[in-house]
Amino acid sequence: MISDVEVKNIFDSNEIPENAYKRISSNHLLDFYLGFNNINDPSLLFIHSDKPMNILNSKVISINIGKRTDDNYALTFSLKDINYLDLFCLFCSDIINSTIGLKYEDNPMDFVCQRYILWQQMLQKVNNHCLTEKEIKGLIGELFFLKQFQMGLLILLTIFLEILEYNVYYLQVYYLKHNG
């Protein structure tokens, strides 16, 4: 088992250079590697003899499928937006841990592809209800403006009430003087 924190530590450590990968565990029956692709994006590489199904990139993860010189297939999941590194580390640990116990003949390539599709569907549903960083900053700005506006409005209201109170006092004095 590998945790998302351990995955992040591998990406954060400077032990893996660009376009290089490190095998996750010699105890895992399947060939998973963590590293960086040729443009230095954090990546999860899975090597297997079965050809992967056709899966699509997401907004955050790009997919690369290639046939290797040893006739195995390489399926690479690469993070496109570093702002989602923590989520990508969780994804990597889930893919790796969910395949523990699968054997080579259990069709793990299809399992990995289906698991990615489940993640993709889950994140689509979550992303429909989440705000982007830009939207969050905009809302913070609006709240700050409203707070400032509210403070200004509170000051105006206080001044208005003081004027009103002052006028009511003088109206009472005037009334008492003339009606006695």
Side-chain angles (χ1 to χ4, degrees):
M1 300 279 284
I2 186 168
S3 72
D4 56 315
V5 173
E6 292 169 309
V7 171
K8 190 165 192 293
N9 288 340
I10 291 171
F11 287 134
D12 286 342
S13 74
N14 292 321
E15 66 183 70
I16 303 173
E18 181 179 318
N19 206 20
Y21 293 87
K22 176 183 177 183
R23 181 134 199 246
I24 298 305
S25 170
S26 58
N27 296 332
H28 199 297
L29 297 176
L30 303 174
D31 296 323
F32 284 102
Y33 301 82
L34 289 173
F36 298 92
N37 65 10
N38 59 345
I39 55 173
N40 210 28
D41 292 332
S43 302
L44 172 65
L45 169 65
F46 177 48
I47 298 172
H48 195 268
S49 60
D50 292 340
K51 183 178 182 178
M53 63 177 64
N54 190 18
I55 52 178
L56 303 174
N57 295 333
S58 71
K59 290 180 182 178
V60 180
I61 298 175
S62 67
I63 305 297
N64 188 6
I65 298 171
K67 184 140 186 176
R68 297 166 34 102
T69 55
D70 62 2
D71 284 334
N72 285 322
Y73 287 90
L75 171 61
T76 308
F77 301 95
S78 298
L79 180 64
K80 294 193 276 187
D81 185 344
I82 200 67
N83 292 318
Y84 295 98
L85 181 61
D86 290 337
L87 188 60
F88 184 71
C89 292
L90 193 61
F91 164 77
C92 292
S93 67
D94 176 67
I95 294 290
I96 295 163
N97 293 334
S98 65
T99 57
I100 291 174
L102 286 182
K103 297 183 178 94
Y104 218 70
E105 59 273 3
D106 290 335
N107 208 354
M109 185 61 83
D110 281 349
F111 180 87
V112 168
C113 292
Q114 288 295 334
R115 193 80 173 185
Y116 166 73
I117 291 168
L118 289 173
W119 268 88
Q120 208 176 21
Q121 291 169 347
M122 178 188 67
L123 292 176
Q124 262 180 332
K125 289 177 184 173
V126 170
N127 284 339
N128 290 339
H129 301 291
C130 291
L131 299 175
T132 65
E133 184 177 347
K134 187 176 180 179
E135 290 171 324
I136 291 170
K137 285 180 180 179
L139 284 175
I140 290 171
E142 288 179 34
L143 289 171
F144 180 75
F145 171 78
L146 288 173
K147 181 180 177 188
Q148 297 302 323
F149 178 75
Q150 181 184 14
M151 289 303 292
L153 194 56
L154 186 60
I155 291 169
L156 285 175
L157 185 58
T158 304
I159 292 170
F160 174 76
L161 289 174
E162 285 177 8
I163 292 171
L164 187 60
E165 187 178 324
Y166 178 78
N167 285 335
V168 167
Y169 172 75
Y170 280 103
L171 282 172
Q172 287 173 345
V173 169
Y174 178 80
Y175 181 78
L176 287 174
K177 270 186 177 179
H178 291 75
N179 293 331

